[in-house]
Amino acid sequence: HLAESGEKLVQPGGSLRLSCLASRFTMRHYAIGWFRQAPGKEREGISCIKNNDESTFYADSVKGRFTISRDNAKNTVYLQMDSLKPEDTAIYYCAAQVDYSQFMCVPSFHGYWDQGTQVTVSS
């Protein structure tokens, strides 16, 4: 079970940090990903981090603005979001990669989804 907290409202150009806490499994054994789904769009992988060497992936839409990190001691993965834009408005989810065939930041490779957090970027 993964959990992150509440709805978030931020102004354009602002910053926000999302936290993903694993409560029922040991996060250090899994690659973890952040995904988002905007209204009328498919869920997309925006950033993922491996569990062994902490290699990362970023979608082009967030590269240079978002930073993923993990604290295995706290069983938590973070997504630092800077220079937020209105088009970043979406429901954000975290999930663990359960298909180990390769490191892929796509929803179909992930499980243990959390309930999602609404992030709204608006003035």
Side-chain angles (χ1 to χ4, degrees):
H1 177 71
L2 292 169
E4 60 189 29
S5 52
E7 293 188 23
K8 314 290 185 182
L9 175 63
V10 62
Q11 292 186 341
S15 297
L16 191 64
R17 188 176 80 160
L18 299 181
S19 302
C20 179
L21 171 67
S23 61
R24 297 186 182 180
F25 63 90
T26 304
M27 189 173 273
R28 69 174 182 270
H29 297 312
Y30 294 86
I32 302 294
W34 285 98
F35 302 81
R36 69 185 182 187
Q37 188 165 18
K41 295 187 177 181
E42 293 188 354
R43 191 172 299 188
E44 61 171 338
I46 55 172
S47 186
C48 292
I49 185 167
K50 293 177 73 174
N51 59 312
N52 48 8
D53 61 6
E54 299 194 5
S55 297
T56 57
F57 163 85
Y58 294 96
D60 288 344
S61 58
V62 305
K63 197 171 295 182
R65 301 188 297 121
F66 290 12
T67 304
I68 192 170
S69 61
R70 62 192 302 153
D71 185 338
N72 289 331
K74 296 182 178 180
N75 226 25
T76 302
V77 171
Y78 303 98
L79 184 68
Q80 177 66 41
M81 304 188 292
D82 299 317
S83 302
L84 282 161
K85 305 174 182 180
E87 51 264 43
D88 294 318
T89 295
I91 300 174
Y92 284 71
Y93 302 88
C94 62
Q97 183 166 344
V98 295
D99 181 334
Y100 304 121
S101 57
Q102 55 184 314
F103 179 52
M104 289 287 288
C105 199
V106 297
S108 61
F109 276 57
H110 288 72
Y112 300 116
W113 292 89
D114 76 307
Q115 78 278 10
T117 295
Q118 175 67 49
V119 173
T120 301
V121 183
S122 174
S123 55

